[in-house]
Amino acid sequence: MSDDWELKVCCMGAGYVGGPTMAVIAKMAPKIRVCVCDISQKQIDAWNTQELPIYEPGLLEVVNECRGRNLFFSTDLKGEIKKADIVFISVNTPTKTKGIGAGRAANIKNCEICARTIAEVADSDKIVVEKSTVPVRTAQAITRVLQSNDKGIKFQVLSNPEFLAEGTAIKDLLKPDRVLIGGQQTPEGLKAAETLASVYSQWVPRDQVLTTNLWSSELSKLVANAFLAQRVSSINSISALCEATGADVSEISRAVGMDARIGKKIFAIVCRIWWFLLPEGYSQLGLPL
């Protein structure tokens, strides 16, 4: 750990989750050095301009505030992994197109590639954080790859799923409903989870930073996606019923949402869901679409 920084963080993957998440960590924890890495030079070059590769309200302002201070973007994956105390894996986990589970199971190849790279270049103990949406027990596969190193280096693998919605990602990160951290229930695992919790608790109330075992954390993300998908399905049915009966769906939303057991957000929330995540989470739970 550097004398100048409380922690050094590296994020593998400069996409829709990794970029905004690391930018907010850098903003809210100025004594932590954060570097977002990607193998795509084009992607990294865009993060270093005023034309970011993704758009989220408020994201550019956060990046401009932190970039060059404690937020950096680089293609030097190996160099940044060596420097880091915590390495986030935030890469795509697309649905398999062939083999066992084709069309429904997630392909965790990119996560395994990241784990192999970390095991290859790391020269000190690391906390490795699984940020991607993954099937339950993916952390076990990542741990197996990391433990294959012959350098005596110890790794602690944590699960820290994202709960973001398109259009409100920065707000969701600045004021999250909760932050979920899963780790092994060993002294080393609990210590690693507390280290990551100390990052988020610099701006999130500590009682909203939840710690669980690894598998509970991984499954919670998929269950949340499934519940949201079920809401979408229910609301689609209500819309069709409104058309058939002449009812106004906005009036239905207001009337039903005032029931405290249901809540005002039940209808509005579907407009904020990252649609591409729902089929992924649904299929990983083995539920029909």
Side-chain angles (χ1 to χ4, degrees):
M1 201 176 297
S2 169
D3 292 334
D4 300 323
W5 304 103
E6 290 180 355
L7 285 170
K8 290 185 178 181
V9 171
C10 168
C11 179
M12 302 177 75
Y16 283 90
V17 174
T21 301
M22 295 303 113
V24 169
I25 289 176
K27 172 183 172 65
M28 304 307 292
K31 293 184 179 180
I32 294 176
R33 182 186 188 276
V34 180
C35 188
V36 183
C37 297
D38 203 285
I39 60 173
S40 170
Q41 186 67 57
K42 180 180 178 182
Q43 187 86 344
I44 292 301
D45 287 345
W47 278 107
N48 281 313
T49 69
Q50 295 299 299
E51 299 292 334
L52 303 183
I54 64 173
Y55 174 75
E56 276 292 330
L59 175 59
L60 181 59
E61 290 78 7
V62 172
V63 170
N64 281 340
E65 177 184 339
C66 306
R67 188 170 51 201
R69 182 191 72 187
N70 66 324
L71 176 64
F72 306 92
F73 299 92
S74 174
T75 55
D76 183 16
L77 278 164
K78 294 183 177 180
E80 291 298 334
I81 289 169
K82 284 186 176 182
K83 294 177 186 176
D85 303 298
I86 302 175
V87 182
F88 284 81
I89 296 177
S90 183
V91 293
N92 289 335
T93 51
T95 302
K96 283 186 174 182
T97 57
K98 57 184 178 180
I100 298 173
R104 56 185 179 83
N107 189 338
I108 63 169
K109 178 182 71 175
N110 291 336
C111 292
E112 292 176 332
I113 290 173
C114 287
R116 281 196 290 272
T117 303
I118 295 168
E120 175 191 341
V121 305
D123 54 12
S124 61
D125 296 350
K126 310 284 182 191
I127 297 171
V128 178
V129 183
E130 175 189 85
K131 197 70 177 173
S132 304
T133 300
V134 294
V136 181
R137 297 277 175 172
T138 297
Q140 192 173 50
I142 292 173
T143 300
R144 188 165 53 245
V145 173
L146 293 171
Q147 289 179 341
S148 67
N149 82 87
D150 57 1
K151 295 176 282 188
I153 296 172
K154 296 180 180 179
F155 298 96
Q156 287 298 322
V157 178
L158 303 177
S159 168
N160 177 218
E162 52 80 21
F163 298 99
L164 307 179
E166 187 174 9
T168 61
I170 299 302
K171 179 182 176 183
D172 295 338
L173 287 162
L174 289 172
K175 295 184 178 181
D177 295 328
R178 78 293 200 198
V179 173
L180 184 57
I181 299 170
Q184 293 284 1
Q185 302 302 289
T186 62
E188 296 80 8
L190 294 171
K191 182 179 178 182
E194 188 55 39
T195 298
L196 183 57
S198 71
V199 173
Y200 287 108
S201 60
Q202 294 194 41
W203 76 95
V204 181
R206 188 60 182 83
D207 60 357
Q208 290 176 227
V209 181
L210 311 179
T211 54
T212 69
N213 71 42
L214 270 171
W215 324 129
S216 296
S217 178
E218 289 180 334
L219 184 56
S220 292
K221 166 63 177 177
L222 303 181
V223 170
N225 278 0
F227 267 69
L228 288 170
Q230 289 168 348
R231 281 191 171 188
V232 172
S233 178
S234 297
I235 293 167
N236 284 343
S237 299
I238 293 167
S239 297
L241 186 60
C242 287
E243 290 183 10
T245 61
D248 186 327
V249 70
S250 63
E251 292 176 345
I252 297 291
S253 171
R254 182 184 177 194
V256 175
M258 291 181 74
D259 188 325
R261 299 168 300 172
I262 297 172
K264 295 179 180 179
K265 292 183 178 180
I266 189 168
F267 289 93
I269 196 169
V270 298
C271 299
R272 304 199 302 113
I273 296 171
W274 267 359
W275 295 90
F276 67 90
L277 285 178
L278 293 183
E280 178 181 301
Y282 230 46
S283 61
Q284 288 178 27
L285 276 171
L287 300 173
L289 292 173

